[in-house]
């Protein structure tokens, strides 16, 4: 019940503060129930397994604790079972899953909400996560006999979920509950980027959409792989391609003079970048490649100087 309240507060904030469709409230609840069914935390066996695991670990608790919590059930090592069950529950359903469920609901209803948005709103306190326990505590007022733990103990996260993990975590939850996800809302996200760049959406978006429909890159589908580039990077890359085609932006033209281009990259593009102190192998490889292109340039110049008089004859 208290876990659901955290997701409910997040969905309400998304609707009220960021104009997300109210449909996410019902969708998030449905996703949550399906995920809870997957974890089987309401099964009697989970309670027994949690107790058995705590006894296998054999961690003996401070005996003086019995003076204050003598009425509570304990394991064979005098450890409070309410603590054991809570820690087992946190392993199965970490608090970060509430954010993942909220983000997943936005994805399902095709809202152009990005992981960067969720992360930023959490850090700014506009999306209840780090401080959701305060509202939960106001609602439940005081702990019950069956669950004497405070809301701050149960629902106060130590840190925000890493930005790189949110999309992959939401996709992982979808896979566990057997939910087939559509690709991201390309048009919605691309429109956002174009507006942020102050570029004409009505002119560029149709071309970007054609490129997306033609290429159908797999990176528009979210993945459980944290190391893969986020879907928003794929959207932005297609937008950039459309802009370059429409406005004939081809960058610097060094196609006939590769050493000059490399020199430009070395002096301007990557100026100030240094290798790790202990990475001598990479430094030697870069120098070797640089010398190779420099030598090629010298050979080309000598050949051109030698061949010019012969051509004149």
């Amino acid at each position: 019940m208290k876990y659901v309240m955290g997701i409910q507060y997040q969905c309400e904030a998304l609707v009220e503060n960021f104009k997300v469709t109210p449909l996410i409230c019902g969708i998030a609840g449905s996703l949550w129930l399906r995920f809870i069914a997957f974890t089987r935390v309401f099964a009697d066996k989970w309670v027994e397994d949690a107790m058995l695991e705590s006894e296998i670990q054999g961690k003996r608790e401070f005996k003086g604790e019995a003076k204050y919590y003598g009425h509570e059930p304990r394991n064979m090592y005098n450890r409070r079972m309410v603590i054991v069950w809570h820690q087992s529950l946190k392993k199965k359903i970490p608090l970060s899953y509430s954010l993942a469920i909220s983000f997943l609901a936005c994805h399902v209803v095709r809202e152009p909400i990005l992981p960067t948005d969720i992360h930023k709103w959490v850090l700014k306190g506009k999306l209840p996560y780090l401080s959701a326990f305060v509202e939960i505590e106001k609602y439940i007022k005081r702990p019950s006999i069956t669950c004497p733990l405070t809301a701050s103990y149960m629902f106060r996260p130590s840190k925000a979920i890493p930005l790189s993990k949110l999309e992959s975590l939401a996709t992982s939850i979808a896979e566990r509950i057997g939910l087939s996800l559509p690709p991201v809302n390309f048009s919605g996200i691309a429109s956002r980027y174009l507006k942020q760049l102050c570029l004409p959406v009505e002119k560029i978006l149709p071309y970007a959409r054609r490129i997306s429909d033609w290429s159908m890159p797999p990176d528009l589908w979210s993945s459980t792989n944290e190391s893969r580039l986020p879907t928003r990077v794929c959207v932005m890359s297609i937008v950039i391609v459309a802009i370059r085609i429409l406005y004939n932006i081809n960058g610097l033209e060094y196609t006939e003079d590769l050493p000059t281009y490399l020199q430009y990259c070395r002096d301007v593009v990557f100026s100030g970048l240094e290798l790790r102190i202990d990475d001598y192998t990479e430094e030697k490889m870069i120098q070797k490649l640089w010398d190779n292109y420099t030598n090629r340039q010298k050979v080309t110049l000598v050949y051109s100087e030698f061949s010019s008089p012969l051509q004149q004859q």
Side-chain angles (χ1 to χ4, degrees):
M1 173 63 182
K2 298 174 185 177
Y3 269 85
V4 178
M5 290 175 63
I7 297 175
Q8 178 185 342
Y9 291 148
Q10 291 169 17
C11 290
E12 289 175 354
L14 287 168
V15 173
E16 294 173 6
N17 301 333
F18 307 105
K19 310 305 178 185
V20 175
T21 174
L23 289 173
I24 65 165
C25 298
I27 296 293
S30 177
L31 294 172
W32 177 251
L33 290 176
R34 289 175 65 176
F35 181 68
I36 289 297
F38 169 82
T39 61
R40 301 183 62 82
V41 293
F42 288 143
D44 292 337
K45 192 174 184 301
W46 171 74
V47 175
E48 297 171 1
D49 290 344
M51 176 178 287
L52 180 62
E53 183 181 353
S54 69
E55 291 177 347
I56 290 175
Q57 291 175 354
K59 186 177 180 181
R60 187 175 296 275
E61 293 295 300
F62 179 58
K63 292 183 178 180
E65 203 177 49
K67 179 180 178 181
Y68 303 99
Y69 307 101
H71 61 284
E72 292 184 13
R74 296 169 177 273
N75 67 5
M76 62 185 295
Y77 290 105
N78 198 36
R79 192 176 189 194
R80 296 171 66 196
M81 284 309 303
V82 67
I83 300 293
V84 170
W85 289 325
H86 173 250
Q87 291 180 348
S88 177
L89 186 63
K90 283 181 67 175
K91 289 181 181 178
K92 281 187 172 289
I93 314 174
L95 292 177
S96 56
Y97 279 38
S98 65
L99 276 181
I101 291 285
S102 299
F103 174 70
L104 183 58
C106 292
H107 181 88
V108 170
V109 299
R110 313 291 290 154
E111 284 284 352
I113 301 297
L114 303 174
T116 49
D117 298 325
I118 301 293
H119 191 260
K120 178 178 67 177
W121 296 335
V122 165
L123 293 181
K124 289 187 175 182
K126 296 181 179 180
L127 194 62
Y129 175 65
L130 297 175
S131 60
F133 72 94
V134 176
E135 295 300 322
I136 296 174
E137 206 160 40
K138 289 178 182 177
Y139 181 82
I140 63 176
K141 294 181 180 178
R142 62 178 60 182
S144 64
I145 297 176
T146 55
C147 184
L149 303 179
T150 63
S152 60
Y153 180 84
M154 296 181 65
F155 301 106
R156 186 172 190 172
S158 58
K159 58 183 179 180
I161 180 174
L163 177 59
S164 60
K165 191 175 181 180
L166 181 57
E167 188 172 68
S168 61
L169 180 57
T171 310
S172 175
I173 291 174
E175 283 193 3
R176 294 182 196 180
I177 64 177
L179 179 64
S180 180
L181 293 178
V184 295
N185 183 354
F186 177 84
S187 297
I189 298 173
S191 298
R192 280 190 53 183
Y193 283 141
L194 290 170
K195 289 175 183 177
Q196 290 173 359
L197 294 170
C198 298
L199 293 172
V201 177
E202 64 282 353
K203 180 179 180 180
I204 300 172
L205 184 59
Y207 285 89
R209 196 183 292 120
R210 287 181 198 173
I211 296 171
S212 174
D213 293 343
W214 172 75
S215 59
M216 288 299 291
D219 289 341
L220 288 179
W221 277 262
S222 59
S223 170
T224 57
N225 184 1
E226 290 183 37
S227 302
R228 204 191 74 169
L229 287 175
T231 52
R232 63 184 181 276
V233 175
C234 181
V235 175
M236 177 55 88
S237 64
I238 293 175
V239 170
I240 291 173
V241 170
I243 293 171
R244 292 185 65 177
I245 292 173
L246 280 171
Y247 294 95
N248 194 26
I249 301 174
N250 296 312
L252 297 169
E253 297 294 338
Y254 286 105
T255 55
E256 297 181 359
D257 191 357
L258 183 57
T260 304
Y261 174 70
L262 291 174
Q263 184 72 48
Y264 170 80
C265 289
R266 187 178 189 179
D267 298 341
V268 179
V269 179
F270 302 110
S271 177
L273 294 180
E274 297 181 357
L275 299 173
R276 291 175 296 176
I277 297 175
D278 58 341
D279 203 344
Y280 299 110
T281 304
E282 186 174 349
E283 184 178 2
K284 287 174 65 177
M285 180 62 70
I286 292 174
Q287 189 61 46
K288 186 176 180 180
L289 291 171
W290 180 259
D291 293 341
N292 183 36
Y293 283 115
T294 305
N295 292 335
R296 282 190 182 184
Q297 185 183 32
K298 291 178 181 178
V299 170
T300 303
L301 289 172
V302 171
Y303 177 78
S304 61
E305 291 175 0
F306 178 74
S307 59
S308 294
L310 293 177
Q311 291 174 357
Q312 293 176 0
Q313 293 176 4

